[in-house]
Amino acid sequence: MGRKRAVDYRRCCCIVGDSIKAFMKNCGANVMDNKVDVARDVALQILKEVNHDGKYANISLKHHLRRAKLSNRDAVFVTQLVYGTLERQITIDWILSKFCSLKRANPWVVNILRMGCYQIMYMDRVPDFAVCDEAVKLCKKYCNKTLAGFVNGVLRNVVRHKHDISFPSKENDPVLSLSLTYSYPSWLVRKWISDYGVTVAEGLMMPVEGDQNCVTVRINKNKITKDELKEQFALQGIQFEDGLYMKDESLRLRFVGDIETNPLYAEGFFTVQGESSMLVVRVLEPQKNELIIDACSAPGGKATYMAELMGNEGRILAWDVHPQRVELIMLNATRLGATIVEPMIQDAAEFRAGLEGQADRVLIDAPCSGWGVIYKKPDIKNRIRPEGLHELYALQGRIISTCSRYVKPGGVLVYSTCTMNVDENQRVIERFLQSNPHFTLDDFTHLLPEGLKNSVIRPGMIQLIPSRDRIDGFFIARLKRMG
């Protein structure tokens, strides 16, 4: 079972193949002078920060890649090691438990073992002996020789037994089987099976095939045409293709490392934004000269897209409760030339009386569990606990109840999340409609690209699923105020 995803990483391994060959060529010299491989060293530091210091993987990765100033090839390798290990961490810990106990182990040792096990089990073209040798060197650097011997023994046991590890079957234990097959927490697998049944639940966990190392960007048509941006990327040697659904506005870039350091990004010619996020704005359907409230706006990707569609005519109030995130909205609006975006510190759950019944459209991109983007942010699997979800449901209810009061009669309210949890999606909307009969679901099927019309749950609601739709797992509901 564990070998299946190795196919997914083969292309990446080909890309870093030269780096690995160079490493193998120099392996003897490295062993002699005990130098650690820089890419693995950087990846280990990130894993330790995410798993033991509470940092977000994307933020830690960006920080370390910029500080280390690695080549693009090594940056891609580090990204693959970090995200691959985090994505498979639940299964990896289960495998390692067959050979040692991770409880009370030194945090550096735990993450060296996880990263080593990931390479042995899921990266075909990384030699096992090199993985063990590099793990030993990392352990000597961050711990001591005794622990290095322990790490060496555990990983060599994994190498010897990697083809005879027996996993539970789906027939006998569907929860544990799916949990280990797709590396999801058992409590979440149990909940999805309860909400959707085994077949659909498995579909929610399936990987997005072929999308590793792909970054989607939205073209800022206020500054550059699609053809001009393509030409610029081609000159830089960047691989790209059209977006899957938002074909006029988006490009999918491959193996680009940290794209936000690209000078074209600084010029405001594009911004990093997934197609699901773009679709939310399309469903909102902003018009020129309207007043729009973007209630949970940071980092401002949707607000700046609205401004582009409105031709910078009208007003967009872009709120966030955290000052540093409001600053981020401001920076993005300035970079992209979105002059009608008005960033503002405002808690979306707190009512502003002066705006009651004033807005033509209100967008609530609600804080959520983020299960629809787990395939991009695998640390979410290990971060969210079931006991924290009820507080989240209550917050979502307060935000939609408060923000609905800003919608003028005949106006539109769009509620979206990047999760596939029905408690945060359909049930929030159902409860809201029961208490607010002057709102009704508003069918937006005509606004959808043809390939997504089958993802509509009912008129006025859509659930996107990454493994099926190959974009982020967003829920979007559009409501209309009748009176």
Side-chain angles (χ1 to χ4, degrees):
M1 178 194 67
R3 311 301 296 168
K4 178 177 177 294
R5 289 302 306 277
V7 174
D8 303 331
Y9 303 119
R10 193 161 295 150
R11 184 168 183 183
C12 170
C13 292
C14 291
I15 293 296
V16 299
D18 292 343
S19 179
I20 292 171
K21 286 174 185 173
F23 159 71
M24 292 177 66
K25 184 179 177 183
N26 296 320
C27 189
N30 286 340
V31 170
M32 292 298 288
D33 58 19
N34 206 31
K35 285 183 180 176
V36 299
D37 176 57
V38 175
R40 288 181 173 86
D41 194 352
V42 171
L44 174 64
Q45 292 177 55
I46 297 167
L47 287 172
K48 196 264 183 183
E49 286 185 358
V50 172
N51 283 319
H52 295 273
D53 303 334
K55 294 191 177 178
Y56 288 98
N58 59 331
I59 294 172
S60 181
L61 182 70
K62 188 182 294 185
H63 168 74
H64 281 278
L65 289 184
R66 289 180 182 177
R67 191 179 68 168
K69 297 181 179 174
L70 299 172
S71 66
N72 187 61
R73 187 172 56 191
D74 280 343
V76 170
F77 185 49
V78 170
T79 304
Q80 195 65 37
L81 273 183
V82 170
Y83 280 144
T85 303
L86 290 171
E87 182 189 351
R88 284 281 158 186
Q89 190 160 297
I90 290 169
T91 309
I92 286 170
D93 285 358
W94 185 85
I95 292 170
L96 288 172
S97 72
K98 305 294 181 188
F99 306 102
C100 67
S101 172
L102 295 179
K103 291 178 181 175
R104 300 183 183 178
N106 180 300
W108 290 107
V109 169
V110 172
N111 288 292
I112 289 169
L113 287 173
R114 284 170 172 162
M115 193 168 73
C117 187
Y118 169 71
Q119 293 169 82
I120 292 167
M121 296 298 295
Y122 302 109
M123 296 185 81
D124 279 354
R125 296 187 61 180
V126 179
D128 291 339
F129 76 86
V131 173
C132 296
D133 287 348
E134 284 302 307
V136 167
K137 282 189 268 186
L138 285 169
C139 200
K140 285 179 180 174
K141 176 178 178 179
Y142 289 99
C143 303
N144 55 51
K145 288 184 179 179
T146 302
L147 289 174
F150 168 73
V151 164
N152 188 46
V154 171
L155 290 181
R156 290 191 186 282
N157 260 329
V158 174
V159 171
R160 276 192 289 273
H161 298 286
K162 64 180 179 182
H163 298 302
D164 0 291
I165 296 172
S166 176
F167 290 87
S169 71
K170 193 161 61 174
E171 291 71 27
N172 293 334
D173 191 341
V175 172
L176 186 57
S177 174
L178 292 179
S179 169
L180 295 177
T181 300
Y182 300 106
S183 197
Y184 274 70
S186 295
W187 68 266
L188 181 55
V189 176
R190 194 173 295 110
K191 175 171 173 50
W192 275 350
I193 289 176
S194 171
D195 285 343
Y196 294 104
V198 174
T199 303
V200 175
E202 183 169 12
L204 300 182
M205 288 177 268
M206 284 180 175
V208 183
E209 297 292 346
D211 272 23
Q212 281 71 31
N213 301 302
C214 175
V215 174
T216 302
V217 300
R218 173 172 59 80
I219 304 155
N220 182 9
K221 292 186 174 178
N222 281 342
K223 290 196 172 185
I224 195 168
T225 67
K226 183 177 181 180
D227 287 341
E228 288 169 343
L229 185 58
K230 279 182 168 181
E231 188 177 340
Q232 291 293 320
F233 282 145
L235 288 172
Q236 294 183 4
I238 292 177
Q239 300 176 41
F240 60 83
E241 59 194 52
D242 289 346
L244 295 174
Y245 304 103
M246 312 295 283
K247 295 182 183 298
D248 291 339
E249 296 93 344
S250 65
L251 290 172
R252 290 157 62 89
L253 314 181
R254 294 192 178 277
F255 305 107
V256 289
D258 186 359
I259 190 64
E260 292 185 8
T261 60
N262 190 300
L264 300 175
Y265 177 85
E267 291 287 337
F269 292 154
F270 68 88
T271 198
V272 178
Q273 188 171 34
E275 290 186 72
S276 298
S277 185
M278 294 179 218
L279 187 65
V280 171
V281 176
R282 285 292 183 177
V283 170
L284 183 70
E285 211 178 3
Q287 305 293 317
K288 286 184 178 181
N289 299 313
E290 288 186 333
L291 171 63
I292 296 179
I293 296 175
D294 185 1
C296 308
S297 183
K302 297 181 186 67
T304 53
Y305 187 24
M306 290 178 216
E308 181 186 322
L309 296 177
M310 294 163 71
N312 271 329
E313 295 181 29
R315 289 183 72 195
I316 301 170
L317 307 184
W319 294 348
D320 197 277
V321 69
H322 301 292
Q324 66 274 23
R325 288 173 62 79
V326 172
E327 188 176 343
L328 195 57
I329 300 171
M330 198 171 298
L331 288 172
N332 277 323
T334 302
R335 181 175 62 83
L336 296 166
T339 56
I340 60 170
V341 173
E342 301 176 28
M344 189 182 303
I345 299 171
Q346 171 67 34
D347 184 346
E350 299 290 330
F351 185 58
R352 286 178 73 94
L355 288 171
E356 185 162 18
Q358 298 299 306
D360 297 281
R361 297 168 203 270
V362 172
L363 170 61
I364 303 169
D365 188 36
C368 70
S369 56
W371 293 340
V373 292
I374 277 180
Y375 75 105
K376 287 182 177 175
K377 299 177 180 178
D379 50 323
I380 291 173
K381 293 179 184 177
N382 308 308
R383 193 179 298 281
I384 292 185
R385 297 286 182 267
E387 54 272 18
L389 288 176
H390 290 287
E391 190 176 331
L392 192 58
Y393 304 157
L395 175 62
Q396 291 160 344
R398 286 200 303 276
I399 290 176
I400 191 171
S401 177
T402 300
C403 292
S404 65
R405 298 172 64 183
Y406 304 130
V407 182
K408 64 169 56 170
V412 169
L413 170 67
V414 167
Y415 174 90
S416 67
T417 68
C418 58
T419 192
M420 299 174 289
N421 180 5
V422 293
D423 292 321
E424 300 174 63
N425 297 336
Q426 294 96 312
R427 287 174 190 151
V428 168
I429 299 301
E430 287 163 2
R431 280 197 299 273
F432 173 76
L433 289 173
Q434 285 171 4
S435 307
N436 297 273
H438 52 296
F439 276 89
T440 184
L441 280 167
D442 191 23
D443 187 10
F444 55 81
T445 309
H446 62 287
L447 298 173
L448 296 175
E450 195 57 41
L452 292 178
K453 291 186 176 179
N454 289 335
S455 299
V456 171
I457 306 169
R458 56 187 281 198
M461 288 187 191
I462 187 170
Q463 177 66 68
L464 304 170
I465 295 176
S467 64
R468 180 189 63 200
D469 302 312
R470 294 185 61 200
I471 52 178
D472 295 345
F474 269 50
F475 170 83
I476 309 170
R478 173 170 159 140
L479 310 172
K480 190 167 185 178
R481 180 172 175 177
M482 305 307 292

